[in-house]
Amino acid sequence: MAREKVVLAYSGGLDTSCCIKWLMTEKNLDVITLCVNVGQETDDLEAIRKKALASGAIESLVADVREEFANDFLTKELAANGLYENKYPLLSALSRPVIVKHLVEVAHQYGAAYVAHGCTGKGNDQVRFEVGVQTLDPTIQVLAPVREWDLLTRPQEIAYAQANGIEVGATKKNPYSIDDNLWGRAIECGVLEDPWNEPPADIWKTTADVADAPDEPETVVVGFEAGVPCSLDGERKSFLDVIEALNVIAGRNGYGRLDQIENRLVGIKSRECYELPGGLALIEAHKALEDLCLERDLLHYKLNLEHKWSELVYDGLWFSPLKQALDAFFASTQGLLTGEIRLRFWKGTCTVTGRRSAYSLYDKSIATYDEGDTFDRNSAAGFIYQWGLPTRVWATQRLATGTEGRI
Ligand code: ARG
């Protein structure tokens, strides 16, 4: 009888290569690997594909999903100005759902009853994989070899690989745990585990040190159409191309680094460093355009929902009904978010220096302190009388009863 199949999310690294053997021997499964290209730094996807086969996979697939990742996932991130805990632009939390979507598709295509990932038992990514798969297809079972096996130390894992004919490579293990995609890079572990240690210079790859950044500022105009970046300095580009180009521009000016303590869903506080030169710049630009174009009540309400959206995505609920409903709300706010934002990068900073839109709600004839003012100042007095009435009634009552200031 043919063995049952499992689709493994495969990176080509030592962990997921050992997972192939482990799933074959411990779970008696045929392994199909899927390496999803979300714009991470890889040497050679063809080499990764072959490595899976050499490690025992019956089929090894590579999917380039960068356009889809940008168009169906990062557009939603931008519409939501997604920042977990008001600061983390969700980069790993955004790539997991697109990987999950393709894992489930391949499982259906090959009739696999199982899906597997190489996450440890301490992070958020295991939650995102498993909750994501269960939401898309609750009949699929998820396996987490790295969480289950007892290859606890690196030497044990290397010995396991060598004993099973898995190429270990000449690699000294990278002292950090790195996850990266189009949107940016996440760096943790090693000396970063002491929150007092300053991040060593060698953790950064896409952002220049401010000391080495050019002395002259660099200006770029980002064009948006219906909330999605569509040009740089007037030249039309796909969203994917805008992200890639801005990563270079913002990165060489030393903009886009984060170093923070973050609260994982599993309850652990962790020290995380990120670099997202393009992503952070685009969020700044997008917010600036919303400031210009969204009506006040809508903007304020949206800000509250952005916070909730970011939490849902961080917590692995990308495919949940609430998250989808919030996407629909945000989408309804982006239709006329068309215009241009001028950004100036300089020595680690990104500053909005100009904004314009055919749908701008900024009305100079109302705002001006110069000639041409059409704002009716006299109506302000009546407005203030009414606006302050509840608190004035309260203050008057307390004064009369000798209870000034008492709530
Ligand atoms: N703490 C971030 C998150 O949970 C980044 C995780 C990065 N993953 C990794 N394997 N280094 O989204």
Side-chain angles (χ1 to χ4, degrees):
M1 203 182 94
R3 299 205 294 183
E4 289 212 86
K5 297 188 190 82
V6 57
V7 185
L8 168 70
Y10 187 65
S11 70
L14 185 60
D15 281 349
T16 49
S17 296
C18 287
C19 285
I20 299 176
K21 222 14 157 236
W22 191 89
L23 289 162
M24 292 163 62
T25 53
E26 301 293 318
K27 300 286 172 184
N28 195 30
L29 295 167
D30 276 342
V31 182
I32 297 160
T33 57
L34 175 64
C35 175
V36 181
N37 178 4
V38 284
Q40 68 272 41
E41 210 183 25
T42 51
D43 306 335
D44 179 357
L45 291 170
E46 184 51 24
I48 291 179
R49 204 185 69 75
K50 289 198 176 122
K51 185 171 177 188
L53 295 172
S55 306
I58 59 156
E59 178 72 275
S60 177
L61 307 167
V62 172
D64 181 353
V65 306
R66 287 172 300 162
E67 290 281 355
E68 180 189 2
F69 183 44
N71 296 337
D72 298 350
F73 291 78
L74 297 181
T75 48
K76 295 190 169 84
E77 154 70 8
L78 204 51
N81 300 312
L83 294 171
Y84 176 67
E85 293 181 339
N86 272 336
K87 51 188 192 240
Y88 165 48
L90 292 167
L91 65 99
S92 302
L94 296 166
S95 71
R96 296 312 182 262
V98 71
I99 298 171
V100 161
K101 177 172 172 267
H102 284 269
L103 282 173
V104 170
E105 276 172 17
V106 171
H108 289 164
Q109 203 180 322
Y110 284 81
Y114 300 89
V115 151
H117 62 74
C119 305
T120 70
K122 292 182 78 166
N124 297 309
D125 290 330
Q126 54 174 342
V127 182
R128 297 171 184 147
F129 270 112
E130 295 179 37
V131 173
V133 171
Q134 287 160 13
T135 313
L136 291 183
D137 184 346
T139 68
I140 293 180
Q141 271 207 54
V142 189
L143 301 172
V146 175
R147 200 170 57 204
E148 263 190 61
W149 69 30
D150 37 45
L151 304 171
L152 292 177
T153 65
R154 185 77 180 171
Q156 279 174 342
E157 195 179 351
I158 290 175
Y160 179 86
Q162 283 165 345
N164 286 286
I166 295 163
E167 183 198 321
V168 177
T171 56
K172 272 214 289 351
K173 183 176 162 65
N174 192 317
Y176 312 106
S177 167
I178 305 213
D179 183 53
D180 66 329
N181 61 54
L182 277 180
W183 203 228
R185 294 175 73 242
I187 311 110
E188 53 189 349
C189 302
V191 296
L192 298 171
E193 284 181 356
D194 179 346
W196 185 249
N197 284 344
E198 192 176 328
D202 69 350
I203 70 166
W204 310 110
K205 289 279 180 291
T206 60
T207 52
D209 194 291
V210 170
D212 304 326
D215 291 329
E216 295 304 314
E218 185 169 357
T219 293
V220 60
V221 175
V222 185
F224 286 84
E225 208 168 270
V228 180
C230 64
S231 68
L232 280 186
D233 288 332
E235 191 186 325
R236 276 200 85 81
K237 287 184 186 299
S238 69
F239 182 27
L240 174 61
D241 289 344
V242 171
I243 298 169
E244 285 180 338
L246 263 188
N247 273 336
V248 175
I249 296 168
R252 68 180 166 226
N253 285 287
Y255 174 73
R257 294 182 180 181
L258 300 172
D259 170 5
Q260 62 193 49
I261 299 293
E262 179 182 300
N263 291 283
R264 290 190 193 157
L265 176 62
V266 294
I268 300 169
K269 275 195 193 293
S270 67
R271 199 276 186 84
E272 309 271 347
C273 292
Y274 301 108
E275 55 185 345
L276 304 88
L280 281 172
L282 285 173
I283 292 174
E284 285 308 311
H286 182 260
K287 283 181 175 174
L289 191 57
E290 290 193 327
D291 288 344
L292 189 70
C293 294
L294 295 190
E295 181 272 336
R296 177 180 184 261
D297 267 346
L298 176 63
L299 183 76
H300 288 187
Y301 201 75
K302 183 172 181 289
L303 284 171
N304 292 327
L305 297 183
E306 289 173 356
H307 178 71
K308 183 66 190 171
W309 187 95
S310 304
E311 221 166 58
L312 292 169
V313 171
Y314 188 86
D315 292 350
L317 296 171
W318 179 273
F319 299 106
S320 75
L322 176 56
K323 147 72 177 50
Q324 290 194 53
L326 292 181
D327 283 334
F329 173 80
F330 293 143
S332 76
T333 67
Q334 303 290 296
L336 296 183
L337 207 68
T338 295
E340 288 184 319
I341 298 296
R342 192 172 56 239
L343 298 176
R344 189 193 61 185
F345 296 99
W346 192 35
K347 288 279 182 197
T349 63
C350 168
T351 312
V352 173
T353 62
R355 65 286 278 162
R356 63 180 175 195
S357 164
Y359 307 102
S360 165
L361 299 181
Y362 178 89
D363 185 337
K364 184 158 183 249
S365 76
I366 298 175
T368 186
Y369 284 91
D370 292 336
E371 269 167 46
D373 183 7
T374 61
F375 182 79
D376 178 4
R377 288 150 210 259
N378 294 326
S379 64
F383 167 73
I384 295 164
Y385 172 82
Q386 212 92 61
W387 179 248
L389 191 58
T391 43
R392 201 162 60 248
V393 167
W394 167 79
T396 307
Q397 202 283 337
R398 295 300 189 262
L399 188 61
T401 54
T403 56
E404 290 97 320
R406 294 279 295 275
I407 295 168

